[in-house]
Amino acid sequence: MRGREWSRPVRPARREVLSAVPQLEEGRPPLLFVPGFGHGAWAFAEHWLGHAASRGFPAYAVSLRGHGGSEPAPEATLRAYAHDVVQVAAGLPRQAVLVGHGAGALVVAHALARYPARGAVLVAPVFGGWGVLGAALRRNPAGTLPAVFGGPLRLSRGQLFSRELPDEEARRYVGRLGRAGRRAQWALLGEPEAEPAVGAPPVLVLGSPDDRVVPASTLTRVARRYGSAPLLFPGMGHDVMLDARWAEPIDAILDWLEKEPAGH
Amino acid sequence: MSTSTDHGRPDPEATSSGLGSDDRPVSDRGDTVCVIGAGASGLTAIKNLREHGFGVDCYERETGVGGAWNWRHDRSPVYASTHLISSKPFTQFPDFPMPDSWPDYPHHSQLLSYFERYADHFDLRSHIWFGTEVIRVEPAEGERWDVTTRSTGGYGPERTSRYAAVVIANGHNWSPKLPRYEGLEQFRGEIMHASSYKDPAQLRGKRVLVVGAGNTGCDIAVEAAQQASRCWHSTRRGYWYAPKYVLGRPADQVNDSLLALRVPLRLRQWLYHWTLRLTVGDLTRFGLPKPDHRVYETHPIANSQLVYYVGHGGIGPVPDVARFHPYAVELADGREIDPEVVVFATGYLPRFEFLDASVFGDSAGAGRPGLWLNAFTPGHPTLAVAGLVQPDSGLFTLSHWQTVLFARLLQARRDRPERAAAFGQRVRERAGERYSGPVKESSRHWFEVGHADYLRAVERALVELEGK
Ligand SMILES: Cc1cc2nc3c(=O)[nH]c(=O)nc-3n(C[C@H](O)[C@H](O)[C@H](O)COP(=O)(O)OP(=O)(O)OC[C@H]3O[C@@H](n4cnc5c(N)ncnc54)[C@H](O)[C@@H]3O)c2cc1C
């Protein structure tokens, strides 16, 4: 019963969707990339979309409302973000694989309860909880503390990228970061448990043991929840899709999809 | 999780053959499930069964998906102006939302495109045999079923395949229910059932009598008010005409806010009456009969325009028809009117001509199956009906959960037989249960369910089946 959801449907918002599709349709499932808080679809358009397309996977990235080129939405909730993802996924020509990064992985986990995805990939998942907050406070108190009181969350270069990424590039990316809705940020503190995924899709969890936003223990915990172990890429920062060795994780994801029954 | 019918069109030829009850050759489809009909209910049955790992063969007599909402189908009841009467959140499948850009009450052509997209998105068409009609469904050994098909229109040979289970999703809005009236055969004007009403041009400039106050009857009366030279609307009793919007929001959403808060029926009725008094006002002032029941006691009529056109004189409310004369219609109050066209919006009756009525526990042949949750048949654990409900809301959410429940039941038969047996016991004990307030017992209300009560019952059944 979803009486409350039905009687108070999420208000529509204009969404930015960027895409790269292969020249030849090879029957591969479409991928939908969901950026984390503060990031927009641009974060995937930089490298991953084109790379996935070059390997035959139609690739799309959505900017959650209030992010990137989507409509401003300061009061957005986690539910509204999940709604955005499900709307875009259902609009794709075929059953999609959802790929969420950071808090986008939590949004994907919630979307999976409303849309039977072909599969899901959780990249450096930020599932919230006091542990993650504690770690963030320790590493970047000035950027994190205001968020606790409804202010913006500012992630630093050191949290997001490895030293291998040229400084200029890193600064450009950090400059593009926006902020998530206040209510959605707070939702992270409560660690809202997502309902079980519909259609029992295969789920892959990956990240870096050197991620300074998501501790390795979190990666293991999230992976265990989906009955697997995390795939690790040492030496990378939180933003694996923008970091210097961005090709490794996306290739691992695509390899996994090709092997999974869901890949065909 | 795949089975033999995973890719491409189903091909019963490719499986082993045996002999049926009367020595006909039967091709054995193993664990595959048969779905009859590719309307909304059939499509969601295919999708959910596939999602639970079952192979599916679906037979559809028409050449496309969408059932009632595909206006190209010869049995489609929709007319040019049909819009949904349930708003989007209640109408869409719970795991495949309609686009944000669509209006609250989409047009029938949008609904068809929605079903076509659903079929493509989940790759359902490769499991459907189009242009193929199911003409017989008979129980076979081991709680399996022999399904006999032939191409629509009766060409080609018949062919029988044996299935592990069957979902009947043949719809119940295509076989017109026509009332009998004295003198109807002698009437010289034009007579049609709402199922053959397609376009307001059919009414233009004519004197029209619309019989029946279901949603369809009211819609057609409103069109006649704008197109015909005169329109009478005959209703047997008084109804509540609920506006599609209250407080600037779709009325069903406002109503469900109250349901979600578990406001008791009495209080909801009182609130509803009060809202109607504020918005629509006293219906008898318009010459409409006073409702003889409280709201929520019959299928709701959502029509914001009917009262408006009555108020403009475009629609003349009249009582029941008493008898027909060659050039006139006599009404229950003795008045005579002279329509050129009579539209019977008198509803539909369910038909299952491919199935022996006794399978459904309807040995009297009255046409009303005795089912639990309007879906499960006592004594036949591998048979389910999808979509045989008349909800006070959208139907597709209900078909979705019905077919999820059936898929889980089939899984339980394999993995946890004791659970499946307990389920079978409940079906026997509780067949015929109702899920709505005190409704009238006419065939119009046979399948009436309150969506909240009904979904709670399905949810309970799921929990009982799966409980740890
Ligand atoms: C005018 C009108 C307005 C409506 N408005 C709404 C609304 O707003 N909201 C709502 O939820 N519902 C509405 N309904 C109810 C409508 O019936 C359902 O929405 C829906 O169409 C039911 O879907 P279904 O799949 O159960 O049946 P159908 O759509 O009737 O599909 C049944 C399918 O089975 C096929 N079939 C039948 N027999 C056989 C056979 N022997 N062999 C092979 N194939 C077969 C048919 O060709 C058809 O494609 C409305 C109905 C009407 C008439």
Side-chain angles (χ1 to χ4, degrees):
Chain A
M1 276 295 298
R2 303 203 178 131
R4 251 176 254 277
E5 264 176 57
W6 292 330
S7 52
R8 284 269 164 210
V10 171
R11 215 175 244 277
R14 193 175 37 73
R15 286 175 290 264
E16 172 189 49
V17 178
L18 303 178
S19 65
V21 293
Q23 280 173 331
L24 269 181
E25 162 70 46
E26 297 176 38
R28 296 256 164 77
L31 309 181
L32 177 58
F33 292 96
V34 181
F37 290 180
H39 294 66
W42 58 266
F44 292 102
E46 203 69 22
H47 309 294
W48 280 18
L49 291 188
H51 190 73
S54 73
R55 285 190 52 182
F57 288 86
Y60 303 81
V62 57
S63 293
L64 300 172
R65 60 184 63 200
H67 290 78
S70 288
E71 195 172 309
E75 291 306 312
T77 56
L78 200 52
R79 182 178 152 225
Y81 290 157
H83 171 89
D84 287 341
V85 173
V86 174
Q87 277 283 319
V88 177
L92 297 177
R94 277 172 307 117
Q95 210 172 351
V97 175
L98 305 184
V99 186
H101 171 258
L106 180 64
V107 176
V108 163
H110 282 268
L112 288 177
R114 294 287 178 273
Y115 170 77
R118 190 82 74 94
V121 184
L122 308 178
V123 183
V126 174
F127 268 34
W130 294 100
V132 172
L133 175 70
L137 277 176
R138 242 175 295 124
R139 287 191 177 120
N140 178 9
T144 311
L145 203 57
V148 178
F149 302 102
L153 176 71
R154 285 193 210 291
L155 296 172
S156 66
R157 178 209 192 290
Q159 282 176 299
L160 298 178
F161 308 106
S162 69
R163 279 172 217 273
E164 284 170 60
L165 190 72
D167 216 29
E168 189 192 332
E169 229 169 293
R171 241 181 294 133
R172 185 160 58 84
Y173 293 146
V174 172
R176 287 190 79 168
L177 294 180
R179 57 168 301 194
R182 196 160 44 110
R183 296 167 65 190
Q185 274 181 17
W186 272 328
L188 283 180
L189 292 181
E191 189 165 15
E193 184 82 44
E195 285 175 44
V198 289
V203 178
L204 173 70
V205 177
L206 57 80
S208 163
D210 303 311
D211 185 332
R212 302 229 243 135
V213 178
V214 182
S217 60
T218 303
L219 288 179
T220 313
R221 188 166 50 88
V222 172
R224 200 170 294 149
R225 184 181 297 177
Y226 292 96
S228 68
L231 208 53
L232 295 178
F233 297 85
M236 298 188 78
H238 179 64
D239 276 2
V240 290
M241 66 285 186
L242 294 170
D243 211 343
R245 284 156 38 214
W246 58 264
E248 291 170 30
I250 183 68
D251 272 327
I253 292 173
L254 300 176
D255 290 346
W256 177 74
L257 284 174
E258 278 169 359
K259 271 186 254 123
E260 265 300 315
H264 303 283
Chain B
M1 87 180 227
S2 351
T3 62
S4 56
T5 53
D6 224 356
H7 300 290
R9 284 183 77 80
D11 181 11
E13 234 62 289
T15 48
S16 63
S17 289
L19 286 182
S21 49
D22 48 358
D23 289 347
R24 281 171 291 127
V26 174
S27 59
D28 191 328
R29 300 290 291 134
D31 291 336
T32 309
V33 181
C34 171
V35 173
I36 304 174
S41 304
L43 289 175
T44 190
I46 309 176
K47 168 181 160 292
N48 287 320
L49 286 162
R50 300 265 317 125
E51 207 165 278
H52 285 80
F54 294 97
V56 179
D57 290 352
C58 170
Y59 297 106
E60 167 54 59
R61 64 186 297 285
E62 305 279 353
T63 52
V65 301
W69 296 93
N70 195 325
W71 53 269
R72 299 181 199 93
H73 292 175
D74 58 1
R75 289 171 172 179
S76 166
V78 304
Y79 30 91
S81 64
T82 309
H83 278 260
L84 277 174
I85 44 178
S86 44
S87 79
K88 260 193 323 183
F90 295 88
T91 315
Q92 65 205 5
F93 292 118
D95 55 359
F96 192 71
M98 294 184 183
D100 272 353
S101 57
W102 283 9
D104 291 323
Y105 296 100
H107 184 244
H108 72 78
S109 57
Q110 288 175 307
L111 228 58
L112 175 58
S113 81
Y114 175 70
F115 295 130
E116 290 179 332
R117 271 203 315 111
Y118 184 78
D120 291 332
H121 194 86
F122 296 109
D123 190 20
L124 306 180
R125 289 183 209 261
S126 57
H127 305 281
I128 307 173
W129 292 66
F130 288 106
T132 308
E133 197 165 10
V134 170
I135 53 172
R136 254 191 324 280
V137 175
E138 299 154 296
E141 68 210 30
E143 298 185 325
R144 307 181 69 212
W145 297 90
D146 283 350
V147 176
T148 304
T149 57
R150 70 163 178 236
S151 65
T152 309
Y155 314 107
E158 294 182 3
R159 126 171 169 172
T160 306
S161 312
R162 184 160 297 174
Y163 289 97
V166 171
V167 178
I168 300 175
N170 66 335
H172 59 99
N173 277 326
W174 51 268
S175 179
K177 181 174 91 179
L178 276 169
R180 266 191 268 283
Y181 289 106
E182 191 187 327
L184 186 58
E185 295 77 36
Q186 278 79 46
F187 182 64
R188 308 300 271 275
E190 189 187 341
I191 287 172
M192 65 168 108
H193 184 266
S195 59
S196 43
Y197 171 74
K198 293 285 155 204
D199 194 281
Q202 288 166 281
L203 311 176
R204 200 159 292 154
K206 304 209 172 117
R207 297 188 302 278
V208 178
L209 167 65
V210 181
V211 181
N215 281 290
T216 302
C218 293
D219 274 0
I220 297 177
V222 164
E223 301 221 316
Q226 300 165 72
Q227 303 291 339
S229 64
R230 181 123 207 230
C231 168
W232 297 276
H233 187 202
S234 159
T235 61
R236 200 168 291 179
R237 33 208 288 247
Y239 291 91
W240 296 98
Y241 301 98
K244 277 185 153 173
Y245 285 94
V246 292
L247 311 171
R249 290 176 49 211
D252 51 6
Q253 296 177 13
V254 175
N255 179 42
D256 261 52
S257 313
L258 300 177
L259 273 179
L261 296 173
R262 300 214 172 214
V263 176
L265 175 69
R266 279 285 169 193
L267 183 56
R268 280 190 293 127
Q269 283 178 326
W270 182 83
L271 278 171
Y272 208 127
H273 286 175
W274 181 75
T275 328
L276 286 183
R277 195 160 315 134
L278 279 182
T279 49
V280 185
D282 176 11
L283 293 175
T284 56
R285 230 206 100 241
F286 293 86
L288 289 162
K290 191 175 160 57
D292 59 356
H293 55 280
R294 305 177 66 81
V295 289
Y296 300 123
E297 286 180 6
T298 63
H299 194 69
I301 296 163
N303 193 311
S304 302
Q305 292 175 294
L306 187 101
V307 177
Y308 174 90
Y309 280 108
V310 171
H312 285 58
I315 298 174
V318 296
D320 210 5
V321 170
R323 60 185 64 77
F324 280 80
H325 299 293
Y327 293 99
V329 176
E330 191 181 322
L331 302 169
D333 61 3
R335 255 190 298 164
E336 280 197 5
I337 55 175
D338 58 344
E340 294 161 276
V341 179
V342 180
V343 185
F344 286 111
T346 41
Y348 298 84
L349 278 175
R351 276 173 59 190
F352 306 96
E353 52 302 56
F354 44 76
L355 193 71
D356 187 346
S358 64
V359 171
F360 270 162
D362 173 32
S363 28
R368 177 181 183 175
L371 307 170
W372 183 44
L373 293 173
N374 290 37
F376 299 94
T377 329
H380 293 287
T382 51
L383 181 70
V385 189
L388 188 60
V389 280
Q390 179 92 45
D392 56 349
S393 174
L395 177 132
F396 317 126
T397 314
L398 276 51
S399 313
H400 168 88
W401 288 112
Q402 288 177 329
T403 55
V404 166
L405 180 56
F406 189 54
R408 302 258 169 99
L409 174 65
L410 294 180
Q411 274 183 338
R413 278 171 62 79
R414 197 179 52 204
D415 307 333
R416 301 170 90 183
E418 72 299 341
R419 294 276 176 173
F423 187 93
Q425 185 60 30
R426 276 193 292 281
V427 175
R428 272 190 292 274
E429 285 161 7
R430 286 150 71 173
E433 229 172 48
R434 305 288 315 239
Y435 310 93
S436 58
V439 292
K440 311 273 163 191
E441 270 306 309
S442 78
S443 65
R444 173 170 172 188
H445 303 298
W446 275 352
F447 309 112
E448 190 76 36
V449 303
H451 71 285
D453 291 342
Y454 182 80
L455 284 171
R456 275 197 202 104
V458 173
E459 196 177 17
R460 266 196 305 277
L462 265 171
V463 170
E464 281 168 357
L465 183 65
E466 314 233 292
K468 301 293 174 263

